[in-house]
Amino acid sequence: MDITFFLNRNLDIPLYQQLYQLLKENMHEGRIQKGMKLPSKRLLAAQLSISQTTVERAYEQLAAEGYIVSKPRSGWFADYDGSDFVHIKMPSTSSIKLKAQENEQMIDFHYGNVDSAHFPLSAWRKSMVNSLDQYGHVLYRPGDVLGELELRALIGEHLYQSRGVHCLPEQVIIGAGSPVLMHLLCQVFGPNITIGYEDPGSARSRKIFEANQMKILPIPVDHEGICIEEIQKERPSLLYVTPSHQFPLGTIMTINRRIELLKWAAQNQTFIIEDDYDGEFRYSGRPIPSLQGLDQHNRVIYMGTFSKSLLPSLRISYMILPALLLEKGSEITSLYKQTVSCHSQLTLAEFIKNGGWQKHINRMRKLYQKKRAILLETLQSELGRHVKIRGENSGLHVLLDVYSPFSEKELIEKAEEHGVKIYPASVFYTKQPPTTTVLIGFAGVSKDNIREGIKKLKAAWNI
């Protein structure tokens, strides 16, 4: 182990005494635990620029007090009973394992989780190796600041076929997650502008805009999507919407509302940010083209991510800028260079080219549709008239209006007492929501645990 201490040579306290005291404090605080090997006298003397004699005297004092022990031909080792000395208790390995086991036993209906057990690791590994063979000679280069051209071109092709998006590879910017790209976008528009925001809407996105000194104008959402009358009344300089699966309500914006919205943007020379965060997953009705695909006046900024279709931990998202914003967007992006590793991007490009991604998407659509059906069926059979389900036709979560004397907080606490984690809807509203509502995500929960979790909710809520 390396030890870096500041020994003050201007003090009257001898250096060996300072070293002794610092080592003892680290043992008291649990930073140096029983069984850890200490540096040799020669090595520690070199690290701290002191004599070996100084280190020897400190070690001898610690050994005399039972803090450390010398083992022949092995070195010095910490040797103390933590229960006697530790003031700041460090978590033990057993307690960490116990906490992990408790979390594993919880049925977690988090709306941001995906089914990682079905991630095609073997195919991804093969794509990773193939990308090294194909692009290994360019991995040492800085790379295009907008992202690897191979991946940007493939994203453009996929979006045209699946979402009706029209773009050139030069319009696509790759980023390490949607928050990074939203931050870049804020730099493009600058502070102090007004942005119309769905209410309720994504709390994280709203906080990013607020952190960049944008003024949030909450706009209500009805059964067709964001309310156009309120937009016309508030007249924001920028608009943020989630039309494919309104977050968190799950509303799918109608084609008529989309056309009205685009007409308003063109007339007012305003840009719309279309966040298509989980547009790959739709379970009923005919697909509706994206706003960007319907746009005839280049007023839509399209945002998407691979977090839902692959894994959140990959941290690969993208946005498509209209031609009018390309120069400014490229200038801002160049300050950050590539925020996603070149190798990760080229691995994903290879994964898309060899058909691995489309195959995975098709498989996950079927799986999530089955999970959704199980969730809806179990909610109906177990909770019945005590709940109302909303937003079930798209995406990876549903809203649950709960008819109960318990508050939102109490519902969540009682669920956790029974081994189930659900999430509040109130955090997405600027005002108090009209109903007692919770969010339930189903993508990251097994089929059996979906059934078991809902049964536990019934017991927890005395329904």
Side-chain angles (χ1 to χ4, degrees), residues 166-305:
H166 298 272
C167 70
L168 298 172
E170 300 84 68
Q171 295 174 257
V172 183
I173 298 177
I174 307 294
S178 297
V180 169
L181 293 174
M182 287 181 187
H183 177 73
L184 292 175
L185 208 51
C186 289
Q187 306 306 304
V188 171
F189 288 101
N192 303 319
I193 71 167
T194 55
I195 177 168
Y197 203 84
E198 296 169 324
D199 186 22
S202 168
R204 181 176 61 182
S205 299
R206 183 175 66 241
K207 289 177 181 177
I208 291 172
F209 292 130
E210 290 174 340
N212 284 275
Q213 286 79 53
M214 288 186 172
K215 183 181 178 182
I216 303 293
L217 297 177
I219 308 292
V221 178
D222 63 19
H223 65 284
E224 290 192 70
I226 194 166
C227 294
I228 192 72
E229 295 83 4
E230 289 296 320
I231 294 172
Q232 293 169 338
K233 176 182 175 182
E234 296 289 346
R235 303 182 65 181
S237 303
L238 186 63
L239 187 67
Y240 174 90
V241 292
T242 53
S244 295
H245 185 229
Q246 199 281 330
F247 188 87
L249 298 180
T251 305
I252 300 173
M253 188 181 290
T254 62
I255 186 68
N256 290 335
R257 184 63 54 86
R258 294 179 192 227
I259 292 172
E260 288 179 331
L261 202 57
L262 292 170
K263 183 179 179 181
W264 168 83
Q267 290 175 344
N268 291 273
Q269 297 293 289
T270 302
F271 287 102
I272 300 172
I273 302 171
E274 178 182 13
D275 190 349
D276 201 9
Y277 66 97
D278 64 358
E280 293 88 0
F281 304 107
R282 180 183 174 89
Y283 311 111
S284 65
R286 298 177 60 184
I288 301 175
S290 65
L291 279 175
Q292 202 271 4
L294 295 169
D295 182 21
Q296 301 294 316
H297 300 280
N298 296 311
R299 308 310 302 180
V300 177
I301 301 158
Y302 183 89
M303 303 190 72
T305 180

Side-chain angles (χ1 to χ4, degrees), residues 51-114:
S51 70
Q52 290 189 44
T53 302
T54 299
V55 178
E56 185 175 9
R57 293 187 66 183
Y59 278 10
E60 287 176 350
Q61 182 66 31
L62 289 167
E65 297 182 14
Y67 283 97
I68 64 175
V69 63
S70 176
K71 297 182 180 180
R73 295 184 298 277
S74 296
W76 290 93
F77 293 82
D79 184 46
Y80 65 96
D81 186 349
S83 63
D84 290 341
F85 299 113
V86 175
H87 299 306
I88 301 177
K89 190 76 172 179
M90 299 292 285
S92 64
T93 303
S94 59
S95 65
I96 293 174
K97 288 182 179 179
L98 182 61
K99 186 64 176 177
Q101 289 173 355
E102 290 176 355
N103 289 334
E104 287 178 2
Q105 291 170 358
M106 294 285 289
I107 298 175
D108 190 354
F109 286 101
H110 194 282
Y111 49 89
N113 292 343
V114 300

Side-chain angles (χ1 to χ4, degrees), residues 12 16 20 35 43 86-87 184 214 256 289 295 338 341 378 431-432:
D12 294 333
Y16 87 88
Y20 151 80
L43 180 59
V86 175
H87 299 306
L184 292 175
M214 288 186 172
N256 290 335
D295 182 21
Q338 283 193 351
S341 78
T378 310
K431 298 179 181 179
Q432 184 68 23

Side-chain angles (χ1 to χ4, degrees), residues 108-112 200-201 245-250 277 375 390 396-402 408 412 420-429 436-442 457 461:
D108 190 354
F109 286 101
H110 194 282
Y111 49 89
H245 185 229
Q246 199 281 330
F247 188 87
L249 298 180
Y277 66 97
L375 175 65
R390 290 188 283 155
L396 302 177
H397 74 264
V398 300
L399 276 181
L400 207 62
D401 296 338
V402 185
E408 178 190 78
I412 293 171
V420 179
K421 295 182 74 172
I422 55 174
Y423 296 87
S426 60
V427 296
F428 306 113
Y429 288 80
T436 303
T437 307
V438 295
L439 257 73
I440 293 183
F442 55 85
L457 287 184
W461 297 342

Side-chain angles (χ1 to χ4, degrees), residues 81 330 354 419:
D81 186 349
S330 299
N354 64 31

